[in-house]
Amino acid sequence: MSGEISRLACLALYKNLQFTAKSISNYSYRQFFVRRIRDHFRANIHESDLNKRQALFRKGEAALEVLKRQKVLCDLYPSGKLVIEEHNKNFKLMISECGHMLCQVCVDVLFVRHSAVCPQCGQLLKRSSFWEMIYDDPLVEKEIFHRKRLQRIYNLKEDDFPDLRSYNDYLEQFEEIVFNMVFDRNLEQTKQMVADFAKANEDLIAKNRNRLSKDQEWVQRAIDDQEKMRSRLLEYKQQEQQEAGMNSAAKRADAREILNELMNSDTPAEMIIMNKKHQQMVEDAQLAKANQAGVVESKPFMFQSQEKSGAYSALNIDGVRYDYIAETLVPNIDVDFANNDQLQKRKFYLNARMPSPDKLAGGFSVMLPLGRAVQEAFCDVLFNCDA
């Protein structure tokens, strides 16, 4: 392979390796290969030497063939499932702030005295510092933990800074601290930086503890609008169900009344049904008038509710309002388009097809249609057609 290896080719190789590794039936082999593939790709993700990148790519292709053969062997000689593979609802993976995983049983055994050292890194931990894993990647869990913890200290808002540049520098510093805490880089210096910041901005941190930023306020308004809309839809649905139930009950009562009247009255059945239809038509007309009056009366309320619900837009509008200023275009062409000689001299007719002499009638000049076409082409540039 002589050329540069593209990013898509590396991603395709990584996906093929992970897919093949996850398809191996043996649990130990499967977990080992998945972890080693991820670690090797992360370790060499920033490699810039072309020769080394090509060598690593060839090594990955060779490893893919090895994984395929291993998958075939595991399929030919299957082994039983391990205890950890069995479906156990009580099995939970726990993770601590150091980023190392333990099962819940191991945590309960090792931290029976509520504090102990991590079996992998030796860091002193507490039982309360473990939580159940949500994501498969422990780095994601570790980043979320440190980000939430640091946001209690780094809670300054844009209004607390003199200009936008200072606020952006503050955000960049926060991300750098999170990166150092997640990847264990310059931990002592980073912790000292956080402590100094907390001490220097103690008043602002306490002030902003229960204060929302602009983005958080916008998100909260959007959530409130959704809740209001959901409640209105629920009320409308319940009202429709109640009306449907009332209508069905009224229909059953009307049918029962007609049957009783047919059984106990000497009036002909056709007359009874005709009277009932006439009565129903009168009631429907009165109900329609009442509904129409109710709609007319409720229109201001509807508009008012729409105005209230539309007070908070789904778009986060921020910044200075844009005002359109129309520009006047002044053409820079000193050509008299009414002068055919000048147009011909400027070679406007150079690519025009001239008619043969036998096609020309008496008094006709080819410059007339060509001049008209040129004038129409430049009309928007040179003339005010609306005048």
Side-chain angles (χ1 to χ4, degrees):
M1 186 177 296
S2 59
E4 173 65 25
I5 301 173
S6 64
R7 182 174 179 271
L8 293 178
C10 294
L11 288 176
L13 178 61
Y14 177 76
K15 290 181 179 179
N16 291 332
L17 286 169
Q18 287 285 10
F19 178 78
T20 308
K22 291 179 180 179
S23 62
I24 296 176
S25 59
N26 188 281
Y27 176 82
S28 300
Y29 287 141
R30 182 172 67 249
Q31 295 298 323
F32 172 77
F33 288 134
V34 169
R35 184 174 64 253
R36 289 299 296 271
I37 291 169
R38 183 176 63 243
D39 294 343
H40 276 281
F41 268 82
R42 283 179 177 172
N44 299 284
I45 192 173
H46 298 296
E47 182 62 50
S48 58
D49 190 0
L50 179 59
N51 295 328
K52 290 184 179 180
R53 287 171 62 89
Q54 292 176 353
L56 290 171
F57 192 82
R58 289 193 296 268
K59 184 178 178 181
E61 290 179 337
L64 180 60
E65 298 299 327
V66 173
L67 286 178
K68 291 180 179 179
R69 290 196 296 270
Q70 185 64 41
K71 178 183 180 302
V72 174
L73 288 175
C74 291
D75 293 340
L76 291 175
Y77 303 98
S79 59
K81 288 187 176 182
L82 302 179
V83 177
I84 196 172
E85 293 183 273
E86 297 294 338
H87 182 66
N88 187 2
K89 295 182 179 180
N90 297 324
F91 179 78
K92 296 179 181 178
L93 272 178
M94 311 290 287
I95 188 171
S96 65
E97 59 185 68
C98 64
H100 296 130
M101 299 178 293
L102 289 174
C103 67
Q104 187 178 14
V105 177
C106 297
V107 172
D108 295 336
V109 172
L110 294 175
F111 293 85
V112 67
R113 297 183 180 274
H114 302 290
S115 64
V117 295
C118 177
Q120 300 185 37
C121 64
Q123 182 179 348
L124 183 62
L125 301 172
K126 293 183 179 180
R127 174 64 180 84
S128 58
S129 64
F130 282 85
W131 68 91
E132 185 179 353
M133 284 189 64
I134 300 176
Y135 303 96
D136 295 335
D137 195 345
L139 281 178
V140 177
E141 294 281 352
K142 189 176 180 181
E143 180 182 353
I144 292 175
F145 169 77
H146 288 293
R147 191 174 290 275
K148 287 183 178 180
R149 186 174 62 86
L150 290 171
Q151 281 178 348
R152 300 172 186 172
I153 301 174
Y154 286 83
N155 60 355
L156 303 187
K157 306 299 185 290
E158 185 177 354
D159 301 337
D160 299 327
F161 294 88
D163 51 10
L164 183 60
R165 178 60 183 270
S166 302
Y167 180 63
N168 290 332
D169 293 341
Y170 159 78
L171 295 178
E172 184 177 358
Q173 182 185 9
F174 174 76
E175 295 298 331
E176 183 179 356
I177 291 174
V178 172
F179 180 83
N180 293 340
M181 298 295 288
V182 172
F183 292 96
D184 299 332
R185 297 187 178 183
N186 303 326
L187 288 180
E188 297 299 330
Q189 183 179 357
T190 304
K191 291 180 181 178
Q192 185 63 36
M193 186 187 303
V194 174
D196 295 341
F197 179 84
K199 185 176 181 180
N201 301 276
E202 185 177 359
D203 296 337
L204 285 176
I205 293 172
K207 175 184 175 182
N208 294 327
R209 191 157 293 162
N210 297 323
R211 181 185 169 196
L212 299 178
S213 63
K214 291 182 179 179
D215 294 337
Q216 292 173 341
E217 290 177 355
W218 172 72
V219 171
Q220 188 63 38
R221 288 197 299 266
I223 293 174
D224 294 340
D225 291 342
Q226 290 181 357
E227 291 296 331
K228 291 178 182 178
M229 180 63 70
R230 190 179 293 109
S231 62
R232 285 198 295 268
L233 291 176
L234 183 60
E235 291 177 359
Y236 180 72
K237 188 175 181 180
Q238 291 177 353
Q239 184 179 359
E240 282 188 342
Q241 292 177 354
Q242 292 177 359
E243 291 179 356
M246 293 174 60
N247 292 334
S248 61
K251 289 180 180 179
R252 288 195 298 269
D254 293 341
R256 194 179 300 109
E257 183 180 354
I258 292 174
L259 290 176
N260 292 332
E261 191 172 355
L262 289 173
M263 292 173 59
N264 302 323
S265 177
D266 296 334
T267 308
E270 293 81 0
M271 186 64 66
I272 294 175
I273 295 175
M274 187 180 299
N275 292 336
K276 194 62 180 178
K277 286 183 177 180
H278 178 70
Q279 182 181 357
Q280 186 66 35
M281 290 174 61
V282 173
E283 291 179 356
D284 291 341
Q286 294 177 355
L287 183 61
K289 290 182 180 179
N291 290 336
Q292 186 176 3
V295 169
V296 173
E297 292 177 358
S298 62
K299 275 186 178 180
F301 175 75
M302 291 171 61
F303 292 148
Q304 185 179 4
S305 63
Q306 289 177 1
E307 290 175 359
K308 289 182 179 180
S309 63
Y312 304 115
S313 174
L315 299 176
N316 189 8
I317 302 174
D318 194 7
V320 183
R321 179 182 176 183
Y322 174 76
D323 294 329
Y324 173 74
I325 301 176
E327 296 184 0
T328 304
L329 299 178
V330 179
N332 189 16
I333 302 177
D334 54 346
V335 179
D336 184 9
F337 287 92
N339 190 345
N340 291 330
D341 296 335
Q342 189 176 2
L343 293 177
Q344 192 172 7
K345 183 179 179 181
R346 292 292 187 92
K347 299 182 180 181
F348 279 91
Y349 305 146
L350 182 62
N351 296 322
R353 184 174 62 87
M354 297 298 177
S356 58
D358 58 338
K359 299 291 180 66
L360 295 176
F364 176 79
S365 175
V366 72
M367 298 303 173
L368 293 176
L370 292 178
R372 189 179 299 113
V374 172
Q375 291 179 14
E376 290 178 356
F378 288 89
C379 178
D380 294 337
V381 179
L382 299 174
F383 303 102
N384 186 5
C385 299
D386 297 333

